[in-house]
Amino acid sequence: MQKIWLKIIGHKGNLLFWPILALLWIASVFYRLGANLKRHFSKAEIKTRARVFSIGNLTVGGTGKTPMVITLGKYFISTGKKVGIVSSGYGRKHALDIIGSGQELATKSADDLGDEAMVMIHALPQAYFSISKSKSNAAHMLDMRYDLDIILVDDGYQHRRLHRDFDILLLDAGHDLRKDSLFPFGTLREPAAGIGRADAVIFTKTNFHAVQPDYREWIRQIYHGEIIAEVNYCNDHVKMNDEKIPMENLADKKIYFFAGIGGFGPLLEHLKKRFNNISGYRQFPDHCSYLPSDTARIKKDLDKLIPEIVITTNKDFVKLSGFDFGLPIYYLDLKLKFAQGEQELRIALEDVVKE
């Protein structure tokens, strides 16, 4: 369904799609009305003792929020801070609230935690996690149970009931918001004016797409803060449990790639530049649960293409590591590297912690 929707809104000039697009436009009008009412009446009712930093975006789909949460979590932990992380656990099959340390929750499955939460838990075993549909309740539970210095809220930019001390807005460098529309006529969760609430703006995936000067200037007209950073999303290795292989060692291997993520297209193009022989690939919806029919499609591809190595993302790997495809599955070992603005961001974060 997601793939069909993205195809429709991506072909607004096609007359065949106009009747459906008209319905989506009408729905977007009501969506805007609801968003305006929520913004007007919602207040930050819950304030924690710990400093709260939200990491979010303005669009439906992947801008790299989870890797940024992990990067910030590792940074704060390295400075001796006690860190908590809030997640909605999107895609999990159980609705019960879950709270505990990363070490305690590491034995649970993606069905219990959600794929993104599970990735963060494995990356940050020293942190404390609270997973709930309500991010404000999740933060409150963390604050009551643990004496934390920092709470990071994954995908918290639109969550208004929780008081935040610092809002970090991620913008995909390859996604020009000037050409987008409000959901479901487009992918915007809120009007672009929401950029103005940010305490820091970070362009992500700048090694995939350079930020155009006119686009940066347009952002500057809305965002009046001091921090505009740029981050490269780099994949230098693939991993499987304790095994780690440099990407350059796989350059000439016959590779099959699959993933269920929001930014599948740009990532695939990036991998095509790194590998000389991607024999096949398959895209699944973001947060795909991988039903037997999905794994059967992958297995059919592998039997037909006979690749030398199978690669996916960490978010997909945590849901499929127990499934036997007849070949080992590796995941991309994603790392963030700041291209600019890292020092300014760190100074701002530390200033908030010291307040």
Side-chain angles (χ1 to χ4, degrees), residues 59-74:
T59 58
V60 176
T63 53
K65 297 182 294 294
T66 299
M68 184 60 67
V69 172
I70 291 171
T71 298
L72 294 176
K74 287 182 176 179

Side-chain angles (χ1 to χ4, degrees), residues 262-287:
F264 182 89
L267 179 56
L268 177 62
E269 292 306 311
H270 170 70
L271 294 178
K272 285 180 177 179
K273 294 176 182 178
R274 299 294 301 271
F275 301 127
N276 298 324
N277 187 9
I278 294 186
S279 62
Y281 59 87
R282 186 173 288 276
Q283 179 181 3
F284 293 94
D286 195 13
H287 299 285

Side-chain angles (χ1 to χ4, degrees), residues 34-259:
N36 288 339
L37 290 172
K38 183 178 179 180
R39 182 173 65 252
H40 182 75
F41 290 105
S42 295
K43 297 180 180 179
E45 301 170 351
I46 295 179
K47 183 175 174 59
T48 61
R49 295 167 297 176
R51 299 297 184 194
V52 174
F53 298 81
S54 82
I55 298 90
N57 62 8
L58 238 62
T59 58
V60 176
T63 53
K65 297 182 294 294
T66 299
M68 184 60 67
V69 172
I70 291 171
T71 298
L72 294 176
K74 287 182 176 179
Y75 169 70
F76 280 123
I77 289 171
S78 73
T79 62
K81 299 297 187 295
K82 195 173 180 181
V83 175
I85 295 175
V86 164
S87 173
S88 63
Y90 188 85
R92 64 192 180 125
K93 296 182 179 180
H94 309 295
L96 293 176
D97 293 345
I98 294 176
I99 187 169
S101 70
Q103 292 177 335
E104 293 169 342
L105 300 180
T107 58
K108 292 186 176 293
S109 70
D111 288 344
D112 299 315
L113 305 170
D115 49 15
E116 291 171 345
M118 194 169 181
V119 169
M120 291 188 288
I121 284 167
H122 286 174
L124 298 166
Q126 312 97 313
Y128 298 85
F129 290 83
S130 186
I131 301 169
S132 173
K133 287 184 178 180
S134 169
K135 292 184 173 71
S136 53
N137 289 342
H140 179 69
M141 288 190 294
L142 272 179
D143 200 49
M144 291 294 100
R145 182 171 297 191
Y146 305 107
D147 184 20
L148 301 174
D149 301 302
I150 307 290
I151 293 177
L152 302 175
V153 184
D154 182 29
D155 196 12
Y157 198 71
Q158 284 81 29
H159 193 80
R160 301 177 183 277
R161 288 189 62 231
L162 176 65
H163 170 83
R164 281 81 57 90
D165 298 283
F166 200 86
D167 280 319
I168 298 173
L169 178 64
L170 306 184
L171 300 177
D172 187 328
H175 187 149
D176 191 336
L177 298 181
R178 294 173 296 181
K179 301 175 182 178
D180 207 345
S181 305
L182 208 60
F183 180 85
F185 192 59
T187 68
L188 287 175
R189 295 178 172 188
E190 60 174 296
I195 296 169
R197 298 200 314 276
D199 295 295
V201 169
I202 302 178
F203 286 106
T204 64
K205 308 175 188 176
T206 49
N207 52 326
F208 295 0
H209 299 278
V211 183
Q212 298 303 311
D214 61 324
Y215 184 44
R216 182 187 291 274
E217 180 57 32
W218 180 76
I219 295 293
R220 269 291 184 199
Q221 293 174 9
I222 305 172
Y223 167 69
H224 303 294
E226 298 297 322
I227 303 169
I228 295 185
E230 294 187 8
V231 170
N232 296 337
Y233 279 31
C234 303
N235 298 288
D236 297 327
H237 297 81
V238 294
K239 295 180 70 176
M240 180 184 65
N241 301 325
D242 295 329
E243 185 181 358
K244 193 172 184 178
I245 305 175
M247 294 276 274
E248 56 265 26
N249 291 4
L250 306 175
D252 296 316
K253 298 287 186 181
K254 189 176 181 181
I255 289 169
Y256 176 83
F257 172 69
F258 73 92

